[in-house]
Amino acid sequence: MQLADPNLHQRLLEMCDCYLETDFAKQLNAISHGHAKDLDEDAVKYLALAIMYGVSEQADELKMKKKKDGKIKVLLQIDGEKKALPIPPVPLFDRMLQMMEAILHLEKDGGELPLALGLRTSQLELQVKVKEKEDETSLKISYPV
């Protein structure tokens, strides 16, 4: 699904840069428990914070899954161990998925492509996989080794 804003990738980069020096866990928790005033803004913020948290923790991957019943899990995998992150509300999860599909120009049933993020003086290339099945929707972001 293509969203109206053609600059989602730029907004994601700016949000990553904006929150680069913050407490990612605290900010994620605030978004997860707050009431979204601007769903698009909160979605790109959560996505940026989760990605940067993974970078700071030297994670192998970030997985977000939503089951058909609406239950969501967000996990960082770090050296084979899983660390749960604050769970976003369903509308926020759905918007993040739409944004990532739009950024990567993916079809509705998903796909897998690299995502380049230029962060200040460095470059980060992530592998992003979106999968939509009948009973589950997932977003997996793999960090470079």
Side-chain angles (χ1 to χ4, degrees):
M1 170 183 214
Q2 194 74 341
L3 297 180
D5 186 352
N7 297 312
L8 290 172
H9 191 191
Q10 183 64 37
R11 288 178 60 203
L12 180 62
L13 289 170
E14 289 169 355
M15 199 64 77
C16 286
D17 187 60
C18 180
Y19 287 97
L20 199 57
E21 311 272 334
T22 191
D23 182 339
F24 305 118
K26 183 178 177 181
Q27 292 292 328
L28 285 167
N29 196 42
I31 294 171
S32 294
H33 292 95
H35 298 290
K37 293 177 182 146
D38 183 339
L39 190 59
D40 284 346
E41 187 75 11
D42 285 351
V44 75
K45 182 177 178 182
Y46 186 100
L47 197 52
L49 288 165
I51 289 170
M52 296 312 300
Y53 193 20
V55 170
S56 72
E57 294 293 313
Q58 298 178 339
D60 302 312
E61 60 187 26
L62 168 66
K63 291 182 183 178
M64 299 182 189
K65 290 184 180 184
K66 182 181 83 169
K67 297 282 187 181
K68 189 176 184 176
D69 64 3
K71 290 188 180 181
I72 297 173
K73 286 186 182 181
V74 180
L75 302 169
L76 275 180
Q77 184 170 317
I78 307 163
D79 294 328
E81 294 190 27
K82 294 179 181 178
K83 180 177 187 173
L85 298 184
I87 298 169
V90 171
L92 197 60
F93 176 91
D94 291 342
R95 182 65 77 187
M96 285 189 290
L97 196 66
Q98 290 172 345
M99 287 181 163
M100 194 55 73
E101 288 171 338
I103 289 169
L104 297 173
H105 306 286
L106 295 174
E107 298 298 322
K108 186 63 181 158
D109 58 345
E112 184 171 3
L113 287 169
L115 173 66
L117 295 176
L119 302 171
R120 296 191 183 168
T121 61
S122 64
Q123 177 83 3
L124 178 65
E125 187 170 308
L126 307 170
Q127 191 66 26
V128 180
K129 183 176 187 176
V130 176
K131 196 186 293 185
E132 295 192 42
K133 297 189 284 186
E134 194 173 302
D135 63 336
E136 180 179 277
T137 304
S138 65
L139 171 65
K140 181 172 88 170
I141 299 173
S142 300
Y143 295 89
V145 180

